[in-house]
Amino acid sequence: MKLLSTIKDPTFTKREYSQIDRFFISYIKDERDLPFIYLTIRISLILIPLSVLLFMPFVTGWMWGAVAVAHFYVSNFVFKGPFGLMLHCTSHRQFFKSEYDWMNNYLPWVVAPFFGHTPETYYSHHIGMHHPENNLEDDDSSTMTFQRDSFRSFLAYFGRFFVVGVRNLLNYLRRKNRPKLATRALKGEIVFGIVCVGLCFVSWPATVLVFLLPLVIYRLVAMVGNWTQHSFVDFEDPGNAYKNSITCINVKYNKKCWNDGYHISHHIRPAMHWTEHPTFFQKTIDKYAQNQAIIFDGLDFLQIFYLLMRGRYDVLAQHMINVNGTFANDEEAIALLRRRTQRIPLQSATVLQPEVATVAAA
C-alpha cells in the first residue's frame, strides 16, 4: 500500500487574464470554468467541421476514409473524455450567466450529439436520478445487485442499460413526480432519432460514424465509469458515499477530465466546483480513514476496471492509500476490496445515508 503524498491534481490559481479571457469571463458564471470555453471552441472548430465534411458529396473514396479516421481519432482520443466531464460539470453548475441562459443549450443540444449524448438525457439521468438515489435500489444504474469483479455481470449490467435504460429512466422520473425532466429526456431522444433518420438519407455511413457509433461508445464508456466508481460497496452501509464510491488521485485523467477521479467527494458535495476537490479531500481526510474509504494513487477508472475484471486485487492494493494506518497490511486491504465487490441482494441492503450535512459544513 501507499502513504498519502503530495497531491498533484489541478486546483485553481488566480492569474492575469488576457483581453480575450476577460471577454469570455464576462459571459460565464464562474471564472474557474474558463477552460471550458476554450475546449468548446476547439471542438466547434475541429470536430464539428470534420463531421460536416463526411456528409459532403464531394468527399469520397480515400479522402472520405482519411477524414473518417481523423474524425474517429479526434472524437474518441482527444475530446471525448474532456467533453463528457465538461458536460458533467456544467450539469451540476450553470455554465453561462442567467442573462445568457440560451447559451447553456449549446453543449447539450448542439455539441453533445456528436459524442453520442442524446440531448437532455444525461442531465435527466445524472441529476434527476443517479445523485438523488446515490447508487441505491431506485437508481437504475445501481451496481449493488451485480458481482462487481465479474465481466459477465458487467455485460449484463451494460446490456440492461443499453436496451431498456431510457425506458426505465422515464418510468422513474414519472414515478417520482419529475415530469419536466422526463419530458426533456424524451424530447431529446426523439429529436436525436429523427435527425439521425433524416441524415441517413443524406449519407448513412456518415450518420453511423458521426452519431450512431459515438452513441454506442459513449453509453459503454459511461457504464464502465459508473461501474468502476461504484464497484466497491459496503454491504452494511451502501448509502454511505465514503463506502460506495472511490477516489483516484495523482492521475493524468484528473488533469484531462476536471478532477473526475474524486468521486467520493463529488457524491458528498455534488455542486462543489471541480477545482476544489483536492483541497476538500485533504481537509476531510480523517473522514476517509474512519469509513475505510478506498483511495487509489496513480490508477484511473479504466485501469481499475481492467484490474478488477482480471481479479488483480494485489495490484489494486499496491495502489491504495493507507490513510492513518487504517489497514494493517495488503492482505487486510484486499479482504476489504473483495468484500465490497460482492453482490448485494436488494432485500438485504441497509439504506443508510452518509453524514453529508455534517461534512458539508466542515
Side-chain angles (χ1 to χ4, degrees), residues 91-352:
S91 294
H92 281 283
R93 298 170 60 91
Q94 186 176 316
F95 190 10
F96 293 97
K97 294 177 179 177
S98 296
E99 55 265 41
Y100 309 112
D101 190 52
W102 63 271
M103 297 173 70
N104 287 309
N105 292 317
Y106 183 67
L107 290 183
W109 277 96
V110 178
V111 182
F114 289 92
F115 292 96
H117 293 257
T118 52
E120 303 289 353
T121 308
Y122 176 81
Y123 182 93
S124 298
H125 178 280
H126 190 74
I127 304 297
M129 181 175 68
H130 180 61
H131 274 281
E133 301 302 339
N134 193 29
N135 198 57
L136 294 173
E137 180 176 354
D138 284 345
D139 183 352
D140 191 57
S141 57
S142 173
T143 60
M144 286 199 308
T145 60
F146 296 87
Q147 180 64 35
R148 294 176 296 280
D149 59 359
S150 164
F151 188 65
R152 182 176 179 179
S153 284
F154 171 75
L155 290 178
Y157 174 77
F158 169 67
R160 187 192 69 176
F161 172 80
F162 192 80
V163 175
V164 297
V166 174
R167 183 205 67 182
N168 291 349
L169 171 63
L170 295 176
N171 288 341
Y172 167 86
L173 293 172
R174 289 166 181 150
R175 189 171 69 251
K176 295 291 184 176
N177 196 29
R178 297 169 191 161
K180 290 184 178 180
L181 283 180
T183 300
R184 288 171 63 174
L186 181 60
K187 180 182 177 182
E189 290 287 314
I190 291 174
V191 170
F192 183 85
I194 291 173
V195 169
C196 286
V197 169
L199 288 175
C200 279
F201 289 98
V202 179
S203 172
W204 72 262
T207 304
V208 170
L209 184 64
V210 173
F211 296 109
L212 299 181
L213 181 59
L215 174 72
V216 176
I217 293 174
Y218 159 66
R219 294 191 173 179
L220 174 61
V221 170
M223 288 299 98
V224 168
N226 194 73
W227 177 276
T228 307
Q229 289 160 351
H230 298 286
S231 279
F232 305 97
V233 183
D234 190 321
F235 181 94
E236 297 178 343
D237 198 3
N240 185 332
Y242 289 101
K243 297 181 179 182
N244 72 10
S245 304
I246 63 174
T247 292
C248 301
I249 66 172
N250 294 333
V251 285
K252 291 181 180 179
Y253 175 74
N254 283 340
K255 293 181 173 65
K256 187 176 182 180
C257 295
W258 325 111
N259 281 331
D260 187 53
Y262 290 83
H263 204 67
I264 290 175
S265 52
H266 176 61
H267 268 269
I268 293 169
R269 283 191 178 180
M272 183 161 57
H273 195 268
W274 61 271
T275 60
E276 297 175 359
H277 284 281
T279 302
F280 181 83
F281 168 75
Q282 291 172 299
K283 286 183 177 179
T284 59
I285 193 65
D286 289 341
K287 275 282 187 181
Y288 287 77
Q290 291 167 17
N291 288 277
Q292 293 187 307
I294 296 173
I295 308 161
F296 293 105
D297 186 331
L299 290 179
D300 59 36
F301 294 135
L302 187 59
Q303 292 169 318
I304 294 168
F305 178 82
Y306 174 74
L307 292 168
L308 195 57
M309 293 302 100
R310 293 188 60 207
R312 293 303 305 271
Y313 286 98
D314 57 331
V315 180
L316 290 170
Q318 289 170 14
H319 286 270
M320 280 181 64
I321 300 294
N322 192 6
V323 181
N324 298 347
T326 301
F327 303 98
N329 49 47
D330 282 14
E331 288 69 29
E332 187 175 311
I334 290 171
L336 178 76
L337 294 176
R338 289 186 180 275
R339 186 166 63 251
R340 290 193 182 176
T341 57
Q342 297 301 302
R343 184 178 70 88
I344 303 174
L346 290 180
Q347 63 271 22
S348 301
T350 303
V351 180
L352 298 175

